[in-house]
Amino acid sequence: MVAHNAIYAQSGGVTAVINATASGVIQTARQHTTKIHNVLAAKNGVVGVLREELIDTSRESDRAIEQLLHVPGGAFGSCRFKLQNTDPKDPVVNRLFEVFKAHDVRYFFYNGGGDSQDTLHKITRLGEQFSYPIQCIGIPKTVDNDLAITDCSPGFGSVAKYIAVSTKEAALDVQSMCDTSTKVFILEVMGRHSGWIAAAGGLAGSGPEEPPHIILFPEVIFEAKKFAEAVKQIVNTYGFCVVVASEGIRLSNGQFVAESSSKDAFGHTQLGGVGATLADSIQRDLGYKVHYAIADYLQRAAGHLVSKVDQEQAFNVGKSAVELAVQGARDVMVVIKRLSNNPYRWSIDTADVSQIANIEKTLPSEYIRDDGYGITEEAREYLLPLVSGESFPVYRDGLPDYQRLKLDFVARKLPEFQV
């Protein structure tokens, strides 16, 4: 039996546990050397494949790969790049398969969200057109938790934990000063079309009287007058108001409350600034002193506060992807299946990539309180298991001591290619 090489690549926004998935892929591949000779990690996702920038993971020690379990960010670099053309004559398409052939790559593991799974699915179909035996396996990753079919997406549980903790701690700060200082605090979180991360802020309190008092979801039309009235009533009742706002909240005409004129590489409108927009309106209309914070990259890079459950799931989807590949699977994505809430039990399953690519899973209406400003008990039952447990990194001199890899490249075999 002849063993062939695999390429592993990270795509889209990174997470606090995406490297746990990389660890799962590489460690498991090292146990299947009769079929997988070596794992080549593409620098900066599929862009690294096109540039033939392939990292030789065999030069990394077993310990270094194991320690990736605790490293946030993308150890091999990520990208926002969508394969637009599926014409076999297209230079980009041709280049992909030239690299696969030059490095004897028969397995492609793409670790990303919905757009990444679209690219993976296209490569599978192109492999058929080129009559090239490439086995593509999708590995889920997105802090937004908006991938279809899978119960949850690795990366989300740790963001949810960070947002819930940050909301709880900031609320204690505001409450202690509200009599003579800040009365309203707004935490802006990620979430373009889905309110999963915003919903996680609701875990900080156990009822409408506890912070966060208001959660703003993309799934609920934002009404400025109704929002101002709610803030005023809450301040009058409790002395202060804590708001968790998704960056993707919209007006009744579909326009984002805060957006820019620029777009990212996937064609999505760039968002950001909803915290400042809401703070300005509250100060103008109600006269309250307001503070706001933007969680931004902090929420997805908090390696010091990962969810143990999230980390375990991230490792296992990588492990399972390799096991599926050596069994002959192709054009599927690994998914997580929830078996029970209490105790929380889950298992690994698969789904066709075509059922996942470019499909967004939004927050179910039954997870949103009737007034549109909070989460239900059903949402709490779903969310709580995902933030469970801690897995702290090793600390040195009071700071996390995150593992650094060698990142040695294999020798190029092809001419340079501009992306």
Side-chain angles (χ1 to χ4, degrees), residues 377-412:
E377 281 305 309
E378 189 172 355
R380 189 177 299 276
E381 289 176 4
Y382 169 84
L383 291 166
L384 271 175
L386 304 183
V387 304
S388 295
E390 291 72 47
S391 181
F392 299 114
V394 173
Y395 278 74
R396 187 185 300 276
D397 298 328
L399 298 172
D401 186 21
Y402 293 131
Q403 174 71 47
R404 294 285 186 175
L405 300 179
K406 296 176 182 177
L407 301 181
D408 291 335
F409 292 97
V410 299
R412 292 180 183 273

Side-chain angles (χ1 to χ4, degrees), residues 301-347:
H304 66 289
L305 196 63
V306 301
S307 153
K308 179 68 172 176
V309 165
D310 192 29
Q311 186 185 72
E312 290 173 349
Q313 291 180 334
F315 180 88
N316 276 280
V317 294
K319 176 178 182 288
S320 298
V322 174
E323 292 171 344
L324 286 164
V326 298
Q327 292 166 14
R330 62 195 296 273
D331 204 29
V332 297
M333 189 186 82
V334 182
V335 299
I336 296 166
K337 183 177 180 181
R338 184 177 298 227
L339 303 177
S340 65
N341 284 331
N342 189 17
Y344 179 53
R345 295 187 301 118
W346 55 277
S347 64

